[in-house]
Structure formats: structure tokens, C-alpha cells
Amino acid sequence: MKKFVLFSFAVMMLAACNNQQNNTTGHVEEQTNKEGTAVGGQKDDHGCLVAAGETWSEIKQSCVQIFNVGQRLNPLKIQEGEAVISAFVLFNDDRSKLELFLPNESKTIVLNKDVGETYQNEVYKFDAKESVLYIDNEKEYEAESK
């Protein structure tokens, strides 16, 4: 009886170890469904993993999780009962440009540095010193005060 229990345990351990197949880089291969598409791996046109919250950044030329690397700006006008959806700002390495990630916008907006710590175009102006975003000269988003 002991041999049977040990044998059963050994078979279960081998089966569990063989359950994940590794590729040559040591990463677990993506599982595919019957249609051959990756499960849980929906990617956008740039290859960003949507389920992981990745989005393409023009100024970084890579996929980013903007909520981890960007500066959060909260809307100043909030309707009661509506969800609060933040905007995000991401600077390039030398801070000569920034990228705006706005809710309900499919594309990001890149602003060039203007005077001092302001970045702007015809519609948008971000004051980095105050952490305020103006849209059509109206104060719309602001970073949380700490």
C-alpha cells in the first residue's frame, strides 16, 4: 500500500512539473485557445498588452503602464454619481516634450516645452510647476496636492 501511495504521489508531481512548458528564454509560453489566438493576451496595434493596462507612448516609443509611470491629473469638474477618470502626463527624458493621455481620446497629444515650465499647443497648456492642465484656456485637470 505504501508503494502505491508513493507511486501515485510521484506521478502527480511529475504531471504538475510538466504542466508549464518553457521556451528557450525561460518564459512560460502563451496558451492558445481552439482558434489559435492567445488567451488573455489581447494586444493593440503596437503590441501593447491591453489586459495588463499597457498603452503606446509616442515620446517613449514603447508600451507603458501610464498609471505607473505618468503623473495623474484629476478632473476639476466632477458630476455626482459619475466615475472619476483621470488624465495622465508623461515627460520625455530631457523634459523638452510631454505626452497627454486624456480620457475618451483614442490618441495621445504631444506638447512641446514653451516658456519656463509650460508645455502647450493651440488647445492644451500644461503648467508643470502648478501641475495644472488647461484646455481652451479653462483649468480642467490638476494633480492631487500632497
Side-chain angles (χ1 to χ4, degrees):
M1 181 68 177
K2 286 183 182 180
K3 288 182 183 180
F4 178 74
V5 171
L6 286 173
F7 178 75
S8 298
F9 180 75
V11 168
M12 287 190 310
M13 292 301 293
L14 286 173
C17 291
N18 197 24
N19 202 14
Q20 289 186 345
Q21 298 175 355
N22 288 344
N23 62 19
T24 56
T25 61
H27 292 78
V28 176
E29 294 177 3
E30 286 184 336
Q31 295 179 352
T32 57
N33 60 17
K34 291 178 183 173
E35 291 82 33
T37 58
V39 176
Q42 297 293 342
K43 295 185 179 182
D44 68 9
D45 295 340
H46 295 283
C48 300
L49 192 58
V50 177
E54 292 182 341
T55 188
W56 180 255
S57 168
E58 286 297 322
I59 63 174
K60 297 289 186 179
Q61 289 293 297
S62 65
C63 298
V64 297
Q65 289 179 320
I66 192 61
F67 48 86
N68 284 330
V69 297
Q71 180 181 7
R72 180 183 302 269
L73 303 174
N74 291 322
L76 296 175
K77 300 171 188 167
I78 301 170
Q79 299 291 328
E80 188 173 330
E82 286 187 10
V84 175
I85 303 175
S86 299
F88 290 88
V89 174
L90 182 64
F91 293 93
N92 67 347
D93 292 337
D94 67 1
R95 294 182 68 94
S96 63
K97 296 181 183 210
L98 70 75
E99 189 168 8
L100 294 175
F101 294 79
L102 299 173
N104 304 321
E105 292 288 333
S106 59
K107 291 189 173 189
T108 60
I109 296 111
V110 176
L111 302 179
N112 292 313
K113 190 170 190 176
D114 194 29
V115 178
E117 292 186 53
T118 61
Y119 300 77
Q120 64 184 2
N121 67 12
E122 302 80 37
V123 177
Y124 301 98
K125 176 183 173 186
F126 182 73
D127 185 328
K129 188 174 183 180
E130 295 178 2
S131 297
V132 173
L133 176 63
Y134 297 86
I135 302 175
D136 290 326
N137 294 319
E138 293 282 326
K139 192 175 182 180
E140 297 286 338
Y141 291 89
E142 182 175 56
E144 288 183 1
S145 54
K146 295 180 183 188

